[in-house]
Amino acid sequence: MKHLKLTSFALLAFTLFSCSNDDSGPVNEEEVITTIRVTLTNGGNTITLQSQDLDGDGPNAPVVTVSGNLDTSTTYLGSVEFLNELENPAEDITAEVEEEGVDHQLFFDLTNSLGTITYDDVDDNGNPIGLEFNLVTGSSGSGTLTVTLRHEPNKEASGVSDGDITNAGGSTDAEVSFPITVSL
């Protein structure tokens, strides 16, 4: 498996990997993920979190942006999008993750009790994928939201269907931490 690993600054940790299929069945071509975009929507309020690395394996750190603060005690509909912007036009990897949902799962780690996240989509076996989710914020504070895409996790392992990555196994295809602020 080809790995593309990038490191960001301070509290941000960002790692991107290519995605491959280790099954003995048909071999999928490896995909490069340059951009991870998380969209959080509450009515007319949309917050976008994005990590973008347009030089791939190059020396430049990914650019991580967050368009605004989240409101306290608010429910956001969330979605995650994966792109390969080294292609022209950009290749949308999200559809492949969804099509191969039984082999992929996103995990979310929201620090400092800033809120809770629940899955809002499932694969063909009724297990979560995580491309769609709900985020309910708590009280004011700051922390990070880490989004991890795992390839071939053990979705039947204890806690995995609830979003606990501890027993998931598999390999990490992409991971990024976004700085998050929840305020009044």
Side-chain angles (χ1 to χ4, degrees):
M1 172 187 287
K2 177 183 172 193
H3 293 272
L4 172 62
K5 188 173 188 177
L6 305 165
T7 302
S8 184
F9 46 84
L11 297 175
L12 303 176
F14 179 76
T15 307
L16 298 177
F17 296 89
S18 60
C19 183
S20 68
N21 188 341
D22 296 332
D23 292 337
S24 58
V27 176
N28 287 340
E29 185 174 321
E30 293 183 355
E31 302 290 347
V32 174
I33 299 171
T34 61
T35 304
I36 300 172
R37 186 176 301 135
V38 178
T39 303
L40 301 169
T41 304
N42 173 273
N45 183 21
T46 299
I47 306 295
T48 303
L49 302 80
Q50 180 172 287
S51 179
Q52 184 179 51
D53 186 4
L54 296 180
D55 69 346
D57 280 333
N60 298 324
V63 176
V64 176
T65 57
V66 176
S67 69
N69 295 341
L70 303 176
D71 295 330
T72 58
S73 303
T74 301
T75 299
Y76 290 89
L77 301 177
S79 63
V80 183
E81 181 179 22
F82 298 96
L83 301 173
N84 175 5
E85 294 187 287
L86 296 178
E87 299 292 327
N88 187 12
E91 180 182 11
D92 187 352
I93 309 296
T94 314
E96 181 177 324
V97 171
E98 185 174 18
E99 288 172 9
E100 299 175 359
V102 294
D103 293 328
H104 292 93
Q105 184 171 341
L106 284 127
F107 294 89
F108 304 94
D109 181 28
L110 192 55
T111 64
N112 299 333
S113 301
L114 294 176
T116 57
I117 293 178
T118 56
Y119 292 101
D120 200 26
D121 59 358
V122 294
D123 62 24
D124 292 341
N125 297 327
N127 293 312
I129 301 172
L131 291 171
E132 305 292 331
F133 62 95
N134 294 302
L135 185 153
V136 179
T137 58
S139 57
S140 297
S142 296
T144 58
L145 170 63
T146 300
V147 178
T148 304
L149 175 62
R150 278 285 170 96
H151 183 80
E152 296 187 341
N154 179 359
K155 293 188 176 190
E156 302 303 323
S158 178
V160 173
S161 64
D162 294 325
D164 183 354
I165 198 170
T166 306
N167 299 315
S171 61
T172 299
D173 282 342
E175 181 175 278
V176 60
S177 293
F178 297 101
I180 297 292
T181 299
V182 177
S183 60
L184 292 174

